[in-house]
Amino acid sequence: MPCLVTKFGGTSVADVDHINRAASRIKEEVERGNDVIAIVSAMAGQTNELVDLVTRTSQFYDAREYDTVASAGEVVTSGLMALMLQGMNVPARSWLGWQVPVRTNSAHGAARIDAIETRNLRDRFDTGMKVAVVAGFQGISPEGRVTTLGRGGSDTSAVAFAVAFDAIRCDIYSDVDGIYTADPRIVGKARKLDRISYEEMLELASLGAKVLQTRSVELAMRYKVPIRVLSSFGEDSAAAEGTIVCDEEGIMERNVVNGIACSRDEAKLTIVSVADRPGIAAIVFGSLAEAGVNVDMIVQNISEEGRTDITFSCPTDQVTTAETALSEVRDRGELNYRALLTDREVAKVSVVGIGMRSYAGVAGRMFSALAREGVNIKVIATSEIKISVLVDRKYMELAVRSLHDAFELEAAA
């Protein structure tokens, strides 16, 4: 039988009524002739509650025990979903990560999947099981301990199962009905996209769009697994097309820009007057990497009298860690700078589109649109299919709306 992987996020399984609705979606797929692997998240808010319990026990907790507690939410949901399906006369069974098993490395709290063994589930499908309800977000380490894949890890679980079982598609159900040209809460006329390329989705996910976890898109792109993003709410959700995330060749029309992403929680740090010589950047960003700081945009000024300024951005919740790391390398005499300036009131706004590869003038159009609204650009970073800028946080929504208008994203290609 063809295999379909479905994934239901926390809002889609928030309570028994929501689980019942999700089970109905799964039953419809079984009636269409599919074997289904249903990946489920913990009920909305439950993982946060479990993590809070862990942090209240100790400031310095054992990561292995953290995973044991944090993975419990998915255990509950998988059992409830299997029971709900059984009540609908659908042969279903719940599976935890270690039962499949999902083999991961030992990086507790942020484990990577090494392999998914398929024999146990295939044997059960062969003997009449129609739905395997798998607890997302979890696996088992080489030492036999429960591991978790990090926040949003159920998306990665779903795509990994689609790869392992050569699924026809991976459906991601959530509280949104697809991928939009911008956040509809900011841009009222944002348009739902029928299709978007893996590369564009990867950029949007990494730049602030929270529909899919970045690692899941990377995995789908590597193995060419089509993902469908759709809503689990509404009477006709099961039949809705949602948005297909697919290879670039599967998209007929390529817009110059396909989406606008924004990230509110950004900070800008500038190291003032550091020596301009080989090895300095390695010291700066090596120390930040060791401290676990996720550096994004980097700009180095023109050197004057052998000194220069280095500016970079990072999430606001990592600013203190970055300041501490740079202070420590200066105290050790490895780095000499005059000052470290921090601006915590910035936001990142990005335009993304595979059409940018073959179309000139995107940057000029973007900067002109921002200039007309009086939005000052603090930092610029580019790649082949994206342009990102840092602006004052208070202008973020204005910037997003003006760029959405400038590139006429409300109109279909």
Side-chain angles (χ1 to χ4, degrees):
M1 301 292 287
C3 177
L4 176 72
V5 173
T6 62
K7 179 262 178 177
F8 292 90
T11 55
S12 299
V13 291
D15 54 35
V16 172
D17 288 339
H18 286 71
I19 293 173
N20 181 63
R21 183 182 293 114
S24 297
R25 307 280 180 253
I26 296 170
K27 182 180 180 181
E28 290 176 10
E29 295 296 348
V30 171
E31 291 172 344
R32 290 189 179 101
N34 296 315
D35 287 338
V36 178
I37 298 174
I39 310 297
V40 293
S41 299
M43 296 181 185
Q46 194 169 82
T47 300
N48 287 339
E49 293 174 4
L50 293 170
V51 171
D52 181 60
L53 290 174
V54 172
T55 56
R56 285 163 60 187
T57 63
S58 172
Q59 183 180 359
F60 305 102
Y61 50 77
D62 187 327
R64 292 165 295 186
E65 303 307 335
Y66 167 94
D67 276 356
T68 300
V69 176
S71 63
E74 283 73 14
V75 175
V76 173
T77 310
S78 60
L80 291 175
M81 181 69 79
L83 288 170
M84 192 69 73
L85 286 163
Q86 290 171 8
M88 297 177 178
N89 296 317
V90 177
R93 183 64 65 195
S94 64
W95 295 80
L96 307 185
W98 64 268
Q99 292 174 305
V100 175
V102 178
R103 305 284 183 190
T104 74
N105 62 15
S106 301
H108 288 275
R112 294 266 175 174
I113 297 174
D114 291 330
I116 295 177
E117 297 184 17
T118 63
R119 186 180 62 184
N120 287 342
L121 265 61
R122 289 191 189 279
D123 286 348
R124 294 304 300 273
F125 279 128
D126 289 342
T127 56
M129 180 180 72
K130 300 302 296 179
V131 180
V133 183
V134 179
F137 175 62
Q138 59 177 243
I140 184 169
S141 73
E143 297 77 25
R145 300 291 308 183
V146 172
T147 56
T148 63
L149 308 182
R151 285 308 181 96
S154 291
D155 286 351
T156 301
S157 297
V159 175
F161 270 87
V163 172
F165 286 83
D166 195 24
I168 57 175
R169 193 179 63 246
C170 179
D171 286 351
I172 306 289
Y173 285 90
S174 66
D175 55 355
V176 297
D177 59 353
I179 310 298
Y180 280 74
T181 51
D183 187 337
R185 294 169 297 182
I186 296 175
V187 182
K189 54 187 175 183
R191 176 174 54 85
K192 183 173 72 69
L193 298 167
D194 294 329
R195 287 176 176 260
I196 188 170
S197 72
Y198 293 122
E199 289 180 89
E200 289 171 318
M201 191 66 246
L202 186 59
E203 290 283 10
L204 290 171
S206 65
L207 293 168
K210 302 184 186 303
V211 179
L212 291 173
Q213 189 205 42
T214 304
R215 282 167 57 191
S216 70
V217 183
E218 291 174 344
L219 195 60
M221 182 167 64
R222 186 184 313 154
Y223 293 99
K224 308 300 183 186
V225 175
I227 299 175
R228 183 172 65 159
V229 178
L230 66 170
S231 173
S232 60
F233 302 98
E235 293 303 317
D236 59 347
S237 290
E241 293 184 0
T243 299
I244 298 290
V245 185
C246 61
D247 199 60
E248 185 177 335
E249 283 70 28
I251 301 174
M252 294 290 291
E253 296 290 337
R254 301 178 184 178
N255 292 335
V256 176
V257 169
N258 235 356
I260 313 290
C262 58
S263 175
R264 188 181 304 273
D265 298 322
E266 299 288 329
K268 178 172 74 75
L269 288 83
T270 300
I271 307 171
V272 180
S273 187
V274 67
D276 186 12
R277 59 177 173 80
I280 288 297
I283 293 172
V284 169
F285 296 106
S287 66
L288 293 170
E290 289 177 7
V293 177
N294 183 22
V295 174
D296 184 17
M297 307 167 76
I298 302 172
V299 175
Q300 182 171 332
N301 291 343
I302 297 173
S303 177
E304 292 186 8
E305 299 179 355
R307 311 291 289 183
T308 188
D309 298 342
I310 298 176
T311 297
F312 63 91
S313 67
C314 72
T316 52
D317 61 1
Q318 295 180 7
V319 169
T320 302
T321 303
E323 291 173 335
T324 301
L326 293 172
S327 177
E328 288 176 351
V329 292
R330 181 170 66 171
D331 292 344
R332 293 197 300 266
E334 299 175 27
L335 186 69
N336 181 17
Y337 56 88
R338 186 193 311 155
L340 178 61
L341 306 180
T342 302
D343 183 355
R344 298 172 184 260
E345 297 298 323
V346 298
K348 179 168 58 182
V349 178
S350 309
V351 298
V352 176
I354 54 177
M356 291 168 60
R357 291 194 185 115
S358 55
Y359 185 88
V362 175
R365 193 170 173 183
M366 177 181 185
F367 302 154
S368 295
L370 295 176
R372 284 194 296 271
E373 299 294 341
V375 179
N376 186 44
I377 299 170
K378 295 175 176 289
V379 178
I380 303 169
T382 65
S383 73
E384 191 178 26
I385 65 167
K386 73 121 191 262
I387 302 173
S388 296
V389 296
L390 287 184
V391 300
D392 285 329
R393 189 173 299 157
K394 62 184 178 181
Y395 295 125
M396 184 192 77
E397 295 190 5
L398 173 63
V400 171
R401 285 191 289 268
S402 65
L403 292 174
H404 198 274
D405 289 341
F407 289 100
E408 301 176 345
L409 296 185
E410 71 278 7

